[in-house]
Amino acid sequence: MNDPLHILELDTILSHAAEYASSAKGKAAILALRPSGDPEEVKRRLKFTEEAYLLLTKYRFAGIGVFADTDDILEKARTGATLSMKELLDTASVLRCARLAKNALETFPSETDRIKDIAFRIFADKSLEDDISRDIISETEMSDAASDTLRDIRLRLRMAKTRLTDKLSSFTRSNEYSVYLRDNFYTIRGGRYVLPVKSECRKDVKGLLHDQSSSGSTLYIEPFEIVAMNNDIVKLEGDERREIERILGAFSDKVRAQADNIADASERLALLDMYFALGRYGSSVDGIVPEINFARRVSLRKARHPLIPRDRVVPIDIEVGGKCNILIISGPNTGGKTASLKTVGLLSAMLACGLLIPCEEGSVMAVFDCIYCDIGDDQNISRNLSTFSSHIANLKEITTSFTNESLILLDEIGSSTSPDEGSALAIGVIEYIAQTEAKAIITTHYPRLKEYAMTSTRIMNAGMQFDPHTLTPTYKLLMGYPGVSNALETADALGLAPAIINTAKRILGEKENYETVLSEAFSIKALAEEELKRADEALKAAEVKLEKTVADEKRVNEALERINANAKAETRRIVSKAAEKADEIIEEIKQKLKDADERALLKAKQDLKRLDAIAYENDGISHDIRAEDMDEREITPGTKVLVRSIGAEGYVARIRADKKEAEVNCLGKSLKVKFSDLAKPARRPVNAPPVKRLHPSAAVRETPSAPVSREINVIGSTVADATDVIAEWLENASRLHISELRIVHGKGTGALGKGIQAYLRGNPAVSSFRYGRYGEGDMGVTIVELK
């Protein structure tokens, strides 16, 4: 029987996931994953993957760094062999990654405790790591600082080479020697410094012959004068090698002593690297952890085959288990039956390996002890097996091996033989499976199997949808409905001769009446689904609009409550302050009148004027405000009104007749108020008749019909609405002889400010205007000087 995991392409999924690993050991661990049939083990794997996903996405953890595979290195160290510089650097990479992972992961919260526990138990030896990193510069070079002896040897070696090269340079510069040399330079042969001498001058240069050129025209001779110097260098180089070997041996002993701990750290790092790679892969496919159940029930919502491109895959809702343990999927060719079958099998295998699966929240998945497949054409000429024979061989293996906890996937059961015998054989297999609690998904074209499923309480039909208008499959799976093959319609759409199609339809006659009824039923269902979809969309839009309206109303009510509270508190503060000031002035007047001289009288008059000023400043504030109902036609820009809900007065800035609300400047703020909340203010003194003043300046002033405020707020208005409001205010300001107005229009794009200034430029009442200076509102304010 074919390997079901290979048929489902689990190895391809694992290869894709392995690409996200940082280390070779992490990649190997992923590729070695196999599905577990133990639900508790699967849950454990998924918890690790889920925590890794959380660390990567929520906490922005970078993952495990790159480290080498040290298994062979540690085995070599255990035998007592000396490790090379590269092997020691690879060991240091494990120690470094172990330390960094351990230190980083211990800082994260308890929701990642499983991953943290792996890291907590990692062995880290920073001292050994630092020593190796400091003393070994590269795979072929050791630092002078590795030991005092090595530093001393290398110092003497450099000095010896300098003396020797100086001597050789003198030969190349000497007129006596240079005529014998092929080139004016020296070189090295066999580890010794030599001169390139012309072959015909051999007898003129006394020394040891080490080599010659391939043509024989150049001889490489070590002059006798430098033999001793070369000997010194060779000896020092030998001392250097022996010291490096000694240092490498010492490091190897340290690694050997910690070999088991380093091996454990390497395994834990590979495990962490594997889970972080699985987390990254899960993120790339928008995977989740579904609900794991022990009833072997599968219920996937919007499940996607991860190997089909996102822009082409059609998500499916599919269910097996629960009431029905067997699902029969039917429908047109190339309609997605096999893809649906493979999607369930692959996602089940992925989940059992510890991978997140691409479906929506609310999905349910079971853990099966084994997945059995008979998918595709297994014709094997070398074994003398036809397609039908290979299917039978697979069915034999499956039916003798599966258990109550298995998942069975059969594609086009009973095919490759006559339809009548194939249908009968398929029903026999289905009945055999139905006697157990195993779960099976089976695809078919046979009408007899669809009819059989409709009459059985243990089997459910499902069909791949076919668009009757375009005569193409939609790749959507409809649970509870058998699919229609539509072979003739598809052949007709693909251009097969009409005569052939008509003959086929005539031959079918009434035999395929069942398929015709199904086709008509699907057409009606498709129309109903479209209507339902439009209704759902309308309902969702209405719900969103309602939520927004409720939220807006809540914000407005909260804002009004804050304004009301602030306004009342500010009113009490102003009245209290004015009353205190008035009392002080009256006391001063009384004191001055007692003295009754001319100077005191003059001072008393001045104090009386101050008292009048306080009365005028606080003319708009009263504890007793009477109100009269107001007709909507009386609510116009510039009208003084009372806002009933907060008991404060203000002036209408502009109105919105369609919404029956006005924008009112009140207590230095701009409020949106319903017409029904506005009234005419009418004042009277509090608990006392009008007081007769002793001085004409103390006469009660008439309430102005225009705003006392010199500021207009038109933020959010159009230029046309803003200029309408400004025109009214300019007229009232002119009557009151106000010389300066402040228009607040905000910065925004600057269009509103420019439009307002263009209007002011042509208004005869305006003397000049400018943007606000620093501290006045800058470009968000226009200051207007009136004539």
Side-chain angles (χ1 to χ4, degrees):
M1 185 176 70
N2 286 337
D3 177 10
L5 300 182
H6 177 72
I7 294 172
L8 295 173
E9 299 179 275
L10 177 65
D11 49 354
T12 304
I13 295 294
L14 294 177
S15 295
H16 289 176
E19 292 175 2
Y20 290 95
S22 301
S23 66
K25 290 196 73 171
K27 294 179 190 294
I30 293 173
L31 295 175
L33 282 173
R34 287 296 176 268
S36 170
D38 180 2
E40 292 302 330
E41 170 62 17
V42 172
K43 285 184 177 181
R44 188 188 72 84
R45 292 181 181 184
L46 289 171
K47 281 294 184 183
F48 281 112
T49 305
E50 194 173 21
E51 286 187 12
Y53 172 84
L54 190 66
L55 284 165
L56 292 167
T57 56
K58 180 178 179 180
Y59 297 107
R60 304 300 180 190
F61 181 63
I64 303 301
V66 179
F67 64 95
D69 184 352
T70 56
D71 289 353
D72 293 340
I73 296 172
L74 296 175
E75 191 60 35
K76 178 180 176 180
R78 288 188 181 100
T79 64
T82 299
L83 301 179
S84 68
M85 295 184 198
K86 180 183 183 304
E87 290 168 335
L88 287 170
L89 288 174
D90 287 346
T91 304
S93 74
V94 173
L95 295 172
R96 180 172 57 257
C97 283
R99 174 177 55 83
L100 293 175
K102 184 183 182 75
N103 293 342
L105 288 171
E106 68 182 8
T107 63
F108 292 108
S110 58
E111 59 184 332
T112 59
D113 275 351
R114 289 176 176 81
I115 291 290
K116 289 172 62 179
D117 186 62
I118 296 176
F120 176 76
R121 300 172 187 276
I122 289 178
F123 168 77
D125 188 340
K126 190 173 188 304
S127 176
L128 179 56
E129 173 201 339
D130 288 345
D131 288 346
I132 294 174
S133 301
R134 182 193 64 242
D135 293 347
I136 300 177
I137 299 173
S138 69
E139 296 179 1
T140 58
E141 184 179 3
M142 183 172 287
S143 170
D144 292 354
S147 73
D148 292 340
T149 302
L150 183 61
R151 182 187 297 108
D152 179 62
I153 291 171
R154 285 183 172 173
L155 176 61
R156 289 187 286 128
L157 182 59
R158 284 192 291 272
M159 294 172 62
K161 287 183 177 179
T162 299
R163 288 195 299 270
L164 177 55
T165 54
D166 286 346
K167 182 66 174 176
L168 289 170
S169 296
S170 69
F171 290 149
T172 61
R173 293 194 300 268
S174 169
N175 291 332
E176 180 184 353
Y177 262 94
S178 62
V179 295
Y180 307 137
L181 303 181
R182 180 67 63 187
D183 296 294
N184 287 328
F185 64 85
Y186 53 86
T187 186
I188 297 176
R189 285 292 185 274
R192 300 180 74 87
Y193 287 82
V194 295
L195 292 172
V197 179
K198 299 173 184 177
S199 59
E200 63 269 19
C201 301
R202 170 67 180 92
K203 64 180 182 303
D204 298 310
V205 179
K206 306 302 182 183
L208 303 175
L209 177 64
H210 286 277
D211 198 3
Q212 67 179 9
S213 65
S214 57
S215 64
S217 62
T218 303
L219 304 177
Y220 297 98
I221 297 175
E222 177 185 3
F224 289 131
E225 294 95 322
I226 64 168
V227 169
M229 293 182 179
N230 262 325
N231 290 342
D232 290 341
I233 291 173
V234 170
K235 179 181 180 304
L236 288 170
E237 288 176 341
D239 293 343
E240 180 188 32
R241 284 193 300 273
R242 283 186 289 275
E243 179 60 15
I244 290 174
E245 284 296 316
R246 186 193 67 78
I247 295 170
L248 292 176
F251 275 130
S252 300
D253 291 341
K254 292 180 180 180
V255 170
R256 185 180 307 111
Q258 299 290 356
D260 291 342
N261 290 330
I262 296 172
D264 182 70
S266 178
E267 291 302 320
R268 290 179 179 276
L269 285 174
L271 193 61
L272 289 172
D273 191 25
M274 179 187 75
Y275 283 121
F276 281 115
L278 296 184
R280 289 191 182 96
Y281 176 75
S283 178
S284 73
V285 298
D286 291 336
I288 66 161
V289 176
E291 176 189 338
I292 308 296
N293 74 96
F294 291 86
R296 303 299 187 277
R297 184 170 72 90
V298 175
S299 179
L300 295 175
R301 299 174 56 187
K302 304 297 181 187
R304 292 175 283 105
H305 195 294
L307 296 179
I308 301 177
R310 294 287 294 272
D311 58 344
R312 288 172 44 203
V313 67
V314 177
I316 61 169
D317 293 343
I318 190 168
E319 184 171 349
V320 64
K323 294 181 180 179
C324 298
N325 289 341
I326 299 176
L327 182 67
I328 304 291
I329 302 177
S330 51
N333 287 315
T334 68
K337 299 189 300 298
T338 304
S340 298
L341 190 79
K342 284 188 172 183
T343 297
V344 177
L346 178 58
L347 267 54
S348 176
M350 287 172 60
L351 189 80
C353 288
L355 278 78
L356 309 184
I357 60 174
C359 56
E360 283 192 353
E361 296 291 345
S363 295
V364 178
M365 179 61 86
V367 176
F368 299 99
D369 64 355
C370 192
I371 301 173
Y372 295 95
C373 298
D374 180 37
I375 300 174
D377 184 356
D378 279 346
Q379 184 176 151
N380 191 322
I381 297 174
S382 64
R383 293 173 55 200
N384 196 27
L385 288 177
S386 66
T387 299
F388 179 75
S389 299
S390 67
H391 283 308
I392 296 301
N394 284 341
L395 286 174
K396 176 186 175 183
E397 180 72 22
I398 291 170
T399 53
T400 56
S401 303
F402 78 91
T403 70
N404 289 347
E405 299 179 352
S406 300
L407 174 64
I408 303 169
L409 306 173
L410 304 177
D411 189 31
E412 300 293 352
I413 185 172
S415 61
S416 305
T417 188
S418 71
D420 290 339
E421 289 184 313
S423 297
L425 181 63
I427 291 173
V429 173
I430 293 171
E431 280 286 352
Y432 186 78
I433 297 172
Q435 294 173 9
T436 70
E437 295 182 2
K439 307 300 177 288
I441 303 177
I442 300 168
T443 68
T444 186
H445 277 292
Y446 294 150
R448 192 171 174 185
L449 265 65
K450 305 175 196 177
E451 295 173 7
Y452 174 73
M454 294 183 73
T455 61
S456 174
T457 59
R458 297 170 294 179
I459 306 169
M460 178 180 286
N461 266 313
M464 304 307 301
Q465 191 180 54
F466 187 85
D467 190 331
H469 303 295
T470 62
L471 300 180
T472 57
T474 65
Y475 306 104
K476 293 181 180 178
L477 181 67
L478 302 177
M479 296 295 296
Y481 301 90
V484 181
S485 295
N486 288 293
L488 298 183
E489 287 80 1
T490 303
D492 189 17
L494 293 174
L496 195 62
I500 298 174
I501 300 297
N502 293 334
T503 301
K505 287 181 177 179
R506 178 172 52 80
I507 292 173
L508 279 175
E510 295 300 320
K511 290 184 179 180
E512 293 298 317
N513 187 53
Y514 175 75
E515 291 281 316
T516 304
V517 172
L518 274 181
S519 181
E520 292 175 356
F522 272 118
S523 297
I524 296 170
K525 185 176 186 297
L527 291 173
E529 285 179 343
E530 284 297 321
E531 292 295 330
L532 181 61
K533 182 179 178 182
R534 284 194 289 270
D536 285 342
E537 290 174 352
L539 178 61
K540 289 178 181 177
E543 289 175 348
V544 170
K545 190 173 182 180
L546 178 61
E547 288 178 3
K548 186 177 184 301
T549 301
V550 171
D552 289 344
E553 183 179 0
K554 182 180 178 182
R555 285 195 298 271
V556 168
N557 290 336
E558 291 175 351
L560 283 174
E561 288 177 5
R562 288 195 301 271
I563 292 169
N564 189 13
N566 293 339
K568 289 180 179 179
E570 183 67 11
T571 299
R572 287 194 297 271
R573 186 189 67 78
I574 293 172
V575 170
S576 175
K577 184 176 179 181
E580 290 176 2
K581 186 184 288 187
D583 288 342
E584 291 176 2
I585 293 173
I586 290 170
E587 286 300 321
E588 289 182 18
I589 291 172
K590 288 179 180 179
Q591 188 62 40
K592 298 299 181 184
L593 288 175
K594 286 180 182 180
D595 297 338
D597 59 8
E598 186 177 351
R599 180 179 298 176
L601 184 59
L602 179 61
K603 184 65 171 66
K605 289 180 179 180
Q606 293 173 347
D607 290 342
L608 186 59
K609 288 181 179 179
R610 289 167 55 203
L611 191 60
D612 288 341
I614 294 173
Y616 179 75
E617 288 172 1
N618 295 281
D619 186 52
I621 301 174
S622 173
H623 291 288
D624 185 17
I625 300 177
R626 293 179 300 169
E628 299 177 7
D629 290 339
M630 197 170 192
D631 191 277
E632 292 182 4
R633 290 171 295 181
E634 297 178 276
I635 304 173
T636 58
T639 304
K640 187 173 184 179
V641 293
L642 171 69
V643 182
R644 295 177 188 269
S645 58
I646 62 175
E649 295 178 7
Y651 292 91
V652 176
R654 63 175 182 173
I655 62 172
R656 296 180 182 271
D658 56 332
K659 295 186 177 180
K660 291 188 179 299
E661 67 178 22
E663 189 173 308
V664 179
N665 286 326
C666 178
L667 301 174
K669 301 181 182 294
S670 180
L671 310 178
K672 289 182 180 179
V673 186
K674 293 292 184 183
F675 285 170
S676 58
D677 196 23
L678 298 178
K680 293 179 183 178
R683 298 182 179 280
R684 65 177 176 81
V686 182
N687 299 326
V691 178
K692 184 178 181 180
R693 301 294 179 90
L694 297 177
H695 194 276
S697 64
V700 178
R701 292 173 171 83
E702 184 179 338
T703 301
S705 61
V708 175
S709 172
R710 290 170 170 76
E711 179 176 291
I712 313 168
N713 189 330
V714 293
I715 292 176
S717 303
T718 63
V719 173
D721 289 343
T723 54
D724 286 345
V725 175
I726 292 168
E728 293 279 350
W729 283 59
L730 287 176
E731 183 180 347
N732 292 332
S734 179
R735 288 201 306 270
L736 291 174
H737 304 293
I738 295 174
S739 61
E740 183 179 276
L741 282 178
R742 185 172 186 264
I743 303 173
V744 181
H745 46 68
K747 295 178 181 179
T749 62
L752 181 57
K754 291 178 182 178
I756 289 171
Q757 292 193 1
Y759 165 75
L760 294 174
R761 190 173 291 110
N763 193 299
V766 176
S767 173
S768 65
F769 57 84
R770 61 177 174 80
Y771 283 118
R773 299 188 182 92
Y774 179 76
E776 292 181 328
D778 300 324
M779 299 291 287
V781 170
T782 293
I783 308 297
V784 184
E785 295 288 340
L786 302 180
K787 293 179 180 178

